Amino acid sequence: MSKSSLRLKAVKFRQRGRSVKDIANILGVSKSSASLWVRHVILSPIQLEELRKRPIKASEKARLRNSLALKEKRLSIIESERIAGEKEFRNLSPRELMIAGMSLYWAEGSKKNRKINFCNSDPKMIKFFINWVDKVYGIPRSELSCYVGINEAHHGRELQVKGFWSNLTEIPPENFTKTSFKKYPLKKTFENFNEHYGTLAVQVRRPARIIYKILGQIHGLSMAT
């Protein structure tokens, strides 16, 4: 079993309240390794009392409760700011959409070989790009082609991966070209292996109609002060 796989198992055991010694014995690793892997996991006072078989000191209980409270506060702030961000950018004007998409393409899109090609692993970014070329340049989904890039370890999931991207983008499977499999071994075992979908490259067919306009707009944006 790989070290990354052992680490994932160690974290799960710790979250359930298992001791570092037990985790080390179960996984067949040194206690120091197990301790290193799970040191970020915060146990509740109840879990610690069960591990020690005795009540913990009031001062330590207060410290643990404070750590948990800080974690909850941080998560609450993150969720609050996510909601605020959604409200702030819910209705972009056509010009705002154009500039936002242009900035995204300037950073991540292809500017060579007279192609309009955008590749990313973030589903939301892919959807934003498709929405941008549609609403700003009038390029519908039927005029887009796609190809998936993913590690060869996922060869058996190719249809599932293509189906995920096809459903997300609303681009039919027949618009997908041959999958690009990356030929290098995975060095880690990932917990979300079956939820990994690689990258998707989206290309505009017949890009000559708008490629020079986009490049000109990127130039104009680069000169803005």
Side-chain angles (χ1 to χ4, degrees):
M1 189 178 295
S2 68
K3 184 178 292 187
S4 57
S5 180
L6 290 172
R7 185 182 295 109
L8 291 173
K9 288 182 178 294
V11 170
K12 287 184 177 180
F13 281 130
R14 188 60 170 173
Q15 289 171 337
R16 296 171 190 161
R18 301 297 292 264
S19 70
V20 172
K21 182 178 179 180
D22 283 347
I23 294 170
N25 289 336
I26 292 170
L27 299 180
V29 299
S30 68
K31 188 175 178 181
S32 60
S33 292
S35 177
L36 180 65
W37 293 343
V38 304
R39 62 182 178 180
H40 65 286
V41 179
I42 302 173
L43 296 181
S44 69
I46 294 176
Q47 286 176 317
L48 273 182
E49 287 181 337
E50 290 178 350
L51 281 178
R52 299 177 183 180
K53 307 300 182 183
R54 58 179 174 78
I56 60 177
K57 294 181 180 179
S59 59
E60 186 176 2
K61 186 176 291 187
R63 179 180 62 79
L64 290 169
R65 286 174 175 165
N66 184 58
S67 295
L68 291 171
L70 288 174
K71 180 181 179 180
E72 290 298 321
K73 182 179 180 181
R74 184 178 73 254
L75 293 176
S76 177
I77 291 173
I78 290 172
E79 182 59 23
S80 176
E81 293 299 338
R82 282 170 59 89
I83 294 171
E86 287 182 19
K87 290 180 179 179
E88 185 174 2
F89 295 103
R90 184 166 293 159
N91 297 303
L92 292 179
S93 69
R95 181 169 177 79
E96 288 172 336
L97 176 61
M98 181 189 72
I99 294 173
M102 188 61 58
S103 299
L104 179 63
Y105 194 80
W106 183 13
E108 297 288 338
S110 173
K111 274 77 70 177
K112 297 179 180 179
N113 302 321
R114 292 176 290 180
K115 292 182 179 180
I116 298 174
N117 184 319
F118 183 83
C119 182
N120 211 272
S121 62
D122 186 337
K124 292 180 180 178
M125 204 173 285
I126 291 291
K127 289 182 70 173
F128 190 95
F129 169 77
I130 292 172
N131 185 52
W132 175 64
V133 294
D134 179 14
K135 293 189 174 180
V136 177
Y137 303 104
I139 307 295
R141 284 168 170 76
S142 60
E143 297 185 34
L144 300 176
S145 63
C146 307
Y147 69 88
V148 172
I150 198 165
N151 190 279
E152 63 180 353
H154 295 270
H155 208 291
R157 299 178 58 242
E158 182 181 7
L159 290 179
Q160 177 190 347
V161 172
K162 280 188 173 182
F164 167 82
W165 287 114
S166 179
N167 290 333
L168 177 95
T169 61
E170 298 179 12
I171 295 174
E174 54 265 29
N175 284 34
F176 281 65
T177 59
K178 187 176 180 180
T179 300
S180 173
F181 289 103
K182 316 301 180 183
K183 298 185 182 298
Y184 55 88
L186 292 178
K187 295 182 179 180
K188 291 184 178 181
T189 299
F190 295 94
E191 187 175 18
N192 64 339
F193 181 88
N194 290 319
E195 298 171 4
H196 177 67
Y197 299 101
T199 61
L200 185 71
V202 183
Q203 300 185 64
V204 174
R205 294 172 173 172
R206 298 187 294 117
R209 342 167 229 180
I210 58 172
I211 182 62
Y212 297 117
K213 183 177 184 63
I214 288 177
L215 293 177
Q217 289 174 328
I218 289 176
H219 171 72
L221 190 60
S222 72
M223 301 300 289
T225 58

